[in-house]
């Protein structure tokens, strides 16, 4: 059984307790101030400031808070999230990312994608890098080769379904967490027993919040899961997932544009309000709702613009 011991200051101990609050367990051993039990790791914090990590996931969890013997961890200050293992970019990783959450028109798409260590160079040769540096046309050209080469899962949440669950009180965070967990499950099943070294989720919520969103799911992916912002720049698996997700979003936008009879703009700015008002005037509220995230402020803005033009 793996284990690691860190020496943390009071502030870090408090952050650790908050981070694992949803996994808290009672432990009445002498000197214990906090204990948590994850599926693959046990965490015990003592009055002395020492924190003991035990279990298969011990090293992963310890890496979040520092290195062994209390040495501070190192990470890119521009990236928020958990500290990744050394040499992470060269490991076999299952990555997941989403797009469309900030767009009034179009769906939310989530993709999980596995890149083994011996596929990394091939994936880079196919043109994968930080997807934020790629334009839509280039991603459209790259995506088919990635889909042909890599084990992946694409989930597209239609606007109708999005509006239905949002009306029930589901936050975007919950929606995304459920989709990420489902996409990861799909890929792991396709891998036929092979396991990635790690799973990296492009972080949109803290670990505890993410798992609280999906706590009622019958199957929850937890083993060797890491969270980090800007994850597409940390491993090509997330970059590939980001590209495939973006193209799935663009293809659905193409379909919706054909239905609307106009090219639907991306984002949620003024041009979006104007386009939405045109659809409202031409096709009615039901048609507009079916291709938008209806709780966005753009819906009310479009109604006001349409009312002025009637």
């Amino acid at each position: 059984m793996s284990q690691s011991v860190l020496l943390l200051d009071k502030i870090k101990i408090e952050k650790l307790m908050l981070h694992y609050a949803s996994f808290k367990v009672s432990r009445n051993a002498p000197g214990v101030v906090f204990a948590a039990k994850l599926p693959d790791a046990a965490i015990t914090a003592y009055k002395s400031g020492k924190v003991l990590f035990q279990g298969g996931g011990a090293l992963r969890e310890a890496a979040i808070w520092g290195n062994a013997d209390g040495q501070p961890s190192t990470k890119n200050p521009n990236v928020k999230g958990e500290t990744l293992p050394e040499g992470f970019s060269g490991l076999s990783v299952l990555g997941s990312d989403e797009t469309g959450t900030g767009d009034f028109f179009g769906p939310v798409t989530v993709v999980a994608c596995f890149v083994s260590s011996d596929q990394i160079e091939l994936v880079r040769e196919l043109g994968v890098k930080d997807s934020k540096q790629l334009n839509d046309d280039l991603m459209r050209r790259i995506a088919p080769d990635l889909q042909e080469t890599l084990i992946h899962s694409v989930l597209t949440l239609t606007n109708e379904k999005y509006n239905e669950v949002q009306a029930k009180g589901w936050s975007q965070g919950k929606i995304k967490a459920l989709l990420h967990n489902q996409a990861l499950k799909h890929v792991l099943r396709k891998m036929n027993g092979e396991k990635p070294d790690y799973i990296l989720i492009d972080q949109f919520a803290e670990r505890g919040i993410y798992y609280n969103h999906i706590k009622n799911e019958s199957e929850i992916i937890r083993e060797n899961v890491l969270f980090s912002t800007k994850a597409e720049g940390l491993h090509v698996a997330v970059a590939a997932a980001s590209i495939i997700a973006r193209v799935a979003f663009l293809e659905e936008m193409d379909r919706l544009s054909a239905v609307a009879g106009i090219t639907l703009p991306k984002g949620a700015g003024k041009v979006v309000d104007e386009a939405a008002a045109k659809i409202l005037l031409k096709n009615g509220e039901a048609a507009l709702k079916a291709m938008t995230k209806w709780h966005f402020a753009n819906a009310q803005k479009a109604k006001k613009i349409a009312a002025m033009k009637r």
Side-chain angles (χ1 to χ4, degrees):
M1 179 174 67
S2 298
Q3 71 173 40
S4 181
V5 178
L6 302 181
L7 181 61
L8 304 180
D9 60 30
K10 184 178 179 180
I11 293 176
K12 269 203 169 182
I13 293 285
E14 290 175 353
K15 289 182 178 179
L16 179 142
M17 292 168 66
L18 180 61
H19 184 79
Y20 296 113
S22 61
F23 300 100
K24 183 179 179 180
V25 295
S26 296
R27 191 159 296 166
N28 297 318
V32 173
V33 295
F34 178 80
K37 184 69 174 71
L38 279 66
D40 62 349
I43 300 151
T44 309
Y46 296 88
K47 290 180 181 178
S48 64
K50 287 186 177 180
V51 182
L52 173 64
F53 299 82
Q54 297 174 294
L59 298 181
R60 178 196 70 230
E61 297 303 316
I64 298 171
W65 307 101
N67 300 321
D69 303 321
Q71 295 301 311
S73 62
T74 57
K75 60 188 293 185
N76 185 338
N78 296 318
V79 175
K80 295 179 181 179
E82 300 169 350
T83 302
L84 305 182
E86 186 175 350
F88 183 80
S89 63
L91 299 178
S92 297
V93 170
L94 169 53
S96 64
D97 200 2
E98 84 285 329
T99 193
T101 56
D103 297 271
F104 181 54
F105 288 108
V108 173
T109 58
V110 173
V111 170
C113 188
F114 175 62
V115 178
S116 64
S117 57
D118 59 3
Q119 289 178 309
I120 291 173
E121 286 306 316
L122 170 61
V123 172
R124 286 175 176 158
E125 284 296 319
L126 291 175
V128 173
K129 52 184 176 179
D130 182 344
S131 64
K132 300 295 188 292
Q133 300 175 20
L134 302 175
N135 60 41
D136 288 348
D137 289 340
L138 186 53
M139 283 192 277
R140 285 184 190 266
R141 294 200 296 270
I142 293 172
D145 288 336
L146 295 177
Q147 290 176 295
E148 181 70 24
T149 303
L150 303 173
I151 301 173
H152 67 283
S153 174
V154 180
L155 298 180
T156 299
L157 184 67
T158 65
N159 292 106
E160 291 94 337
K161 186 64 177 178
Y162 177 95
N163 291 329
E164 178 186 330
V165 297
Q166 193 279 327
K168 292 179 181 178
W170 290 20
S171 66
Q172 271 205 358
K174 181 179 180 69
I175 291 169
K176 289 188 287 186
L178 289 165
L179 290 171
H180 275 265
N181 187 64
Q182 187 175 350
L184 293 171
K185 285 192 298 184
H186 289 173
V187 175
L188 288 169
R189 287 171 185 160
K190 292 178 183 180
M191 290 170 64
N192 296 319
E194 182 182 1
K195 288 190 175 183
D197 293 323
Y198 288 94
I199 294 172
L200 179 61
I201 298 174
D202 191 53
Q203 183 173 317
F204 54 87
E206 294 287 341
R207 174 184 291 272
I209 294 172
Y210 173 89
Y211 282 113
N212 186 58
H213 283 318
I214 60 175
K215 63 185 178 182
N216 294 324
E217 290 296 285
S218 59
E219 183 181 354
I220 299 174
I221 306 304
R222 297 182 185 271
E223 186 177 359
N224 292 328
V225 174
L226 295 169
F227 297 82
S228 184
T229 62
K230 302 183 179 179
E232 66 272 17
L234 301 175
H235 198 282
V236 293
V238 182
S242 180
I243 291 168
I244 296 171
R246 180 63 176 177
V247 172
F249 169 79
L250 293 172
E251 289 175 347
E252 178 63 6
M253 285 287 278
D254 291 343
R255 186 189 73 80
L256 293 173
S257 293
V259 172
I262 63 171
T263 300
L264 299 179
K266 306 175 191 71
K270 187 175 180 180
V271 66
V272 171
D273 300 335
E274 295 286 349
K278 288 180 182 178
I279 296 168
L280 196 56
L281 289 168
K282 180 182 177 182
N283 301 320
E285 185 172 306
L288 178 62
K289 186 175 181 179
M291 59 183 65
T292 62
K293 299 174 185 70
W294 195 241
H295 66 107
F296 277 31
N298 303 87
Q300 298 306 315
K301 292 177 182 178
K303 288 181 181 181
K304 290 180 180 179
I305 295 171
M308 293 172 62
K309 293 184 177 181
R310 282 194 173 98

